[in-house]
């Protein structure tokens, strides 16, 4: 059913779920480290996906396990690095730096002038929407750059997982592996385990910020090349801005409005190009 929905619409739905999950995660930052919250998010996603899919033995062996495990660790690591970045940098700055990952993937998959114009449009748009403030710690910049690198890896590995034809099972296996590999981060979550409501929030963050958006990503990655997918990621900050306007009454500034327009135009330009499947 989701395969019949246009890819930009799927991204908007994904973005809504992701940002609602991010709002829940705020409740956990006061009682757990940023990396610990990211680990709880991974744990919650693994539990939900395992209960839903129950991958068979083949998913836990050989190349299938290696691909899924690598994908899971890279994805969870991306979230850990980003959470650590926003603990040290203004959110907009961290978002703009992290978007360098998709930009590189999109650039490598571009074929002509129109593609590069589209890439320039979404890049400028994200920077304007993010309201970049160049302040904060050097370590925060390093964490954000690490998150950007991991995001590029997520796109490339996610495409391979999607084309393998067992995307959701691989997500279940991958996040289980990542939960185990990153288990030392459990030390930053000790205050959560005695509070059932906080544990419920952690599961909710895993569902809304990981399970729903990443499952939808698999739908899109099967249909489009990774270059176009990377550009479509620019719709996430646009979605956040629209939600802020509709739900919270936060009127965008002139710069943010231009940023939203630039992203929409850039995505439309790239969406109308031909031969996108070659980018994967």
């Amino acid at each position: 059913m989701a395969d019949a929905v246009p890819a930009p619409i799927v991204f908007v739905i994904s973005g809504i779920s992701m940002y609602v999950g991010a709002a829940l995660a705020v409740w956990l930052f006061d009682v757990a480290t940023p990396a610990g919250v990211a680990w709880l998010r991974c744990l919650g996603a693994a539990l939900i996906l395992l209960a839903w899919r129950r991958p068979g033995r083949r998913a836990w062996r050989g190349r299938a396990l290696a691909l899924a495990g690598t994908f899971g660790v890279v994805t969870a690591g991306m979230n850990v690095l980003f959470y650590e970045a926003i603990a040290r940098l203004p959110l907009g700055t961290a978002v703009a730096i992290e978007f360098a990952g998709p930009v590189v993937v999109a650039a490598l998959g571009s074929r002509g002038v129109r593609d590069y114009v589209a890439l320039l449009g979404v890049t400028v748009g994200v920077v304007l929407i993010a309201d970049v403030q160049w302040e904060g710690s050097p370590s925060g910049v390093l964490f954000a750059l690490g998150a950007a690198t991991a995001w590029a890896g997520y796109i490339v590995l996610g495409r391979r997982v999607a084309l393998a034809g067992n995307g959701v099972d691989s997500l279940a296996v991958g996040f289980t592996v990542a939960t185990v590999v990153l288990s030392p981060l459990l030390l930053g979550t000790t205050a959560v385990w005695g509070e059932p409501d906080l544990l419920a929030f952690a599961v909710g963050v895993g569902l809304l910020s990981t399970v729903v958006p990443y499952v939808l990503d698999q739908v899109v990655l099967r249909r489009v090349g990774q270059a176009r997918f990377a550009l479509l990621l620019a719709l996430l900050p646009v979605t956040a801005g629209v939600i802020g306007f509709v739900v919270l009454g936060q009127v965008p500034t002139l710069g943010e409005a231009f940023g939203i327009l630039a992203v929409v135009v850039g995505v439309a330009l790239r969406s109308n190009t031909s031969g996108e499947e070659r980018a994967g």
Side-chain angles (χ1 to χ4, degrees), residues 129 238 256-266:
I129 296 168
V238 170
E256 290 168 341
F258 275 119
I260 291 172
L261 179 61
V263 169
V264 171
V265 171

Side-chain angles (χ1 to χ4, degrees), residues 1-259:
M1 181 177 177
D3 286 331
V5 180
I9 301 300
V10 175
F11 261 87
V12 170
I13 296 171
S14 173
I16 291 172
S17 179
M18 183 175 295
Y19 289 117
V20 171
L24 290 179
V26 172
W27 291 84
L28 298 173
F29 280 128
D30 291 335
V31 294
T33 63
V37 172
W39 183 82
L40 287 171
R41 169 180 170 179
C42 183
L43 172 65
L47 292 175
I48 293 169
L49 288 166
L50 287 174
W52 174 26
R53 299 296 295 192
R54 299 182 182 180
R57 292 182 180 180
R58 292 181 61 185
W60 300 94
R61 296 176 179 171
R63 296 180 63 182
L65 175 61
L67 176 59
T70 303
F71 172 75
V73 171
V74 168
T75 303
M78 171 183 70
N79 295 327
V80 169
L81 291 166
F82 183 69
Y83 279 9
E84 291 290 348
I86 62 176
R88 294 166 173 81
L89 294 174
L91 177 61
T93 305
V95 168
I97 295 174
E98 189 190 30
F99 193 68
V103 165
V104 170
V105 174
L108 293 176
S110 295
R111 294 291 187 271
V113 174
R114 186 168 181 171
D115 290 350
Y116 287 110
V117 171
L119 177 59
L120 177 63
V122 299
T123 303
V124 171
V126 168
V127 171
L128 289 174
I129 296 168
D131 187 25
V132 176
Q133 303 172 40
W134 295 112
E135 59 183 39
S137 67
S139 62
V141 174
L142 292 176
F143 277 120
L145 289 172
T149 303
W151 203 358
Y154 165 79
I155 297 169
V156 175
L157 291 169
R159 171 73 168 167
R160 294 180 181 177
V161 167
L163 292 178
N166 56 348
V168 180
D169 284 356
S170 294
L171 291 181
V173 174
F175 288 123
T176 300
V177 172
T179 300
V180 174
V181 171
L182 300 178
S183 58
L185 300 179
L186 170 67
L187 297 175
T189 68
T190 52
V192 175
W193 295 97
E195 302 290 339
D197 57 335
L198 294 180
L199 287 174
F201 271 114
V203 174
V205 170
L207 173 64
L208 295 172
S209 290
T210 297
V211 175
V212 173
Y214 293 165
V215 167
L216 292 177
D217 281 357
Q218 288 293 300
V219 173
V220 178
L221 279 164
R222 285 198 305 269
R223 295 160 52 189
V224 305
Q226 61 193 34
R228 184 189 171 196
F229 179 87
L231 280 187
L232 285 170
L233 287 169
L235 290 173
L236 295 180
V238 170
T239 302
V242 172
I243 290 174
F245 174 69
V246 174
V247 178
L248 302 176
Q250 298 174 342
V251 180
T253 65
L254 183 61
E256 290 168 341
F258 275 119

